[in-house]
Amino acid sequence: MDLQTEISHLFSAQQKDWEQLRDGVRQLDNMREREFTWGGDYHVKLQFNPARMVSTGAATSKEAIEKRPCFLCEGNRPARQKGIPFREKYIILCNPYPILRNHLTIPLHSHVPQRIRKKTGDMLILAEQLPDYVVFYNGPKCGASAPDHFHLQAGLKCPLLTQADNELRSCLQIESESKDEAQELFEDVYQYLHHLQPAETEPMMNVIAFTEGNKYKLHIFPRKAHRPGHYYEKGEKQLLISPGALDMAGLMISVREEDFEKISKQDIEDIYTQVSMAVI
Ligand SMILES: [Zn+2]
């Protein structure tokens, strides 16, 4: 059985046995969305997803992380959550707070920090085995709610998520028929971004990997801020938006109804300007 089929079976079984996942998927069926377009060329969809407060509102400071039990470590995961082993070091799990159809969380077994550099190979292998999916990575300061435990995510592919560079935000694109070459090109991009942000343990970025035809593709979104200024405002001016890979691609998540209703095209442009790092 191929991995995509195994995952479909996992979703069916888990939705029967695990109420939290069943509720999460049901909420996804009734999700409200607003759509914004720029000259018909590129789009942003705003999704009202209150369950994502767990991630958007996550305290990711070193102190807060050290105090909480890690929800990706095996001993702390929900008893009903089952998974599929991948490459002997990962486990593929259904995400009970989905943004996408078949939203997966794929943690390493070991509790090691979120760092992408040596893991792009795994990302590309996963993208190869899941041709209907996008596989994505949120840097430790770029949307990951568990910056201390390495994990990837994946979900069913749609055109919105594979939008390349546009005027709203930067996106560096790698494509190759060879996995090794894609990985080498990623290393070049990594070095370049590291040179721009030498003080960061890892250059700030989100990455989306997928395959199209016989090509491996990586979309890299360089970042200059974890959250936009709107996040830290008080009262009316506040917008609780904490962008990760999907937001950078064009699917922005709003966890509060008031933000979902009031956010304007101008706000979206402003959010991207604040968190995306312009590169030549
Ligand atoms: Zn952990």
Side-chain angles (χ1 to χ4, degrees):
M1 194 178 356
D2 67 34
L3 188 56
Q4 289 199 162
T5 312
E6 254 187 279
I7 289 171
S8 301
H9 291 174
L10 178 70
F11 265 98
S12 310
Q14 287 274 268
Q15 283 188 76
K16 274 193 207 118
D17 300 342
W18 185 23
E19 196 181 356
Q20 197 185 5
L21 179 69
R22 196 160 56 236
D23 286 352
V25 173
R26 195 180 299 135
Q27 280 171 35
L28 201 57
D29 292 336
N30 303 310
M31 210 67 91
R32 287 163 64 198
E33 288 180 338
R34 289 177 64 197
E35 207 162 332
F36 301 83
T37 59
W38 281 261
D41 294 335
Y42 42 94
H43 313 264
V44 170
K45 223 182 236 180
L46 184 69
Q47 183 189 86
F48 174 47
N49 191 336
R52 294 299 302 176
M53 187 57 120
V54 283
S55 174
T56 298
T60 52
S61 70
K62 197 163 173 283
E63 300 72 37
I65 292 295
E66 277 166 6
K67 268 188 211 150
R68 61 109 172 91
C70 172
F71 59 88
L72 292 180
C73 276
E74 191 178 358
N76 303 325
R77 293 202 299 257
R80 292 195 176 269
Q81 191 173 36
K82 303 280 179 274
I84 301 167
F86 174 67
R87 288 181 71 70
E88 295 180 353
K89 47 186 175 174
Y90 294 91
I91 182 145
I92 297 176
L93 303 166
C94 302
N95 187 324
Y97 307 109
I99 295 172
L100 302 175
R101 296 277 152 206
N102 287 17
H103 194 150
L104 303 163
T105 309
I106 305 131
L108 264 184
H109 289 308
S110 42
H111 183 89
V112 297
Q114 187 78 332
R115 302 279 181 268
I116 189 61
R117 191 170 185 180
K118 305 285 179 207
K119 306 281 193 337
T120 35
D122 293 341
M123 224 181 157
L124 290 164
I125 292 169
L126 195 55
E128 179 180 45
Q129 293 192 23
L130 303 178
D132 296 338
Y133 288 69
V134 288
V135 179
F136 54 103
Y137 169 81
N138 291 328
K141 287 176 167 181
C142 301
S145 42
D148 55 339
H149 191 134
F150 184 81
H151 63 288
L152 297 168
Q153 296 180 67
L156 287 180
K157 199 192 273 173
C158 61
L160 186 76
L161 300 175
T162 55
Q163 294 184 106
D165 192 39
N166 63 39
E167 284 166 36
L168 293 172
R169 78 290 181 270
S170 315
C171 173
L172 299 165
Q173 293 159 253
I174 290 173
E175 59 171 76
S176 173
E177 287 178 15
S178 146
K179 218 165 16 203
D180 290 344
E181 189 188 43
Q183 228 175 311
E184 282 161 25
L185 291 168
F186 179 82
E187 177 61 20
D188 293 344
V189 170
Y190 186 97
Q191 294 285 358
Y192 172 67
L193 295 175
H194 175 60
H195 160 80
L196 297 179
Q197 291 179 326
E200 297 292 342
T201 324
E202 164 174 294
M204 294 173 73
M205 68 174 101
N206 301 103
V207 184
I208 296 186
F210 58 100
T211 56
E212 213 165 59
N214 54 352
K215 287 196 170 138
Y216 297 93
K217 299 198 172 189
L218 289 170
H219 285 181
I220 301 149
F221 299 91
R223 300 277 300 266
K224 64 175 186 228
H226 180 194
R227 288 164 170 161
H230 308 76
Y231 188 93
Y232 306 99
E233 290 280 359
K234 296 271 177 291
E236 292 249 310
K237 281 190 180 164
Q238 190 185 40
L239 290 174
L240 275 189
I241 304 281
S242 185
L246 301 181
D247 306 74
M248 296 310 288
L251 179 60
M252 207 172 257
I253 305 304
S254 168
V255 294
R256 296 193 308 189
E257 195 166 19
E258 63 213 80
D259 299 340
F260 174 77
E261 275 161 10
K262 79 179 170 201
I263 200 164
S264 67
K265 216 167 153 174
Q266 174 84 50
D267 290 326
I268 291 174
E269 290 171 8
D270 196 21
I271 288 167
Y272 281 123
T273 306
Q274 289 191 42
V275 300
S276 170
M277 180 168 67
V279 285
I280 307 153

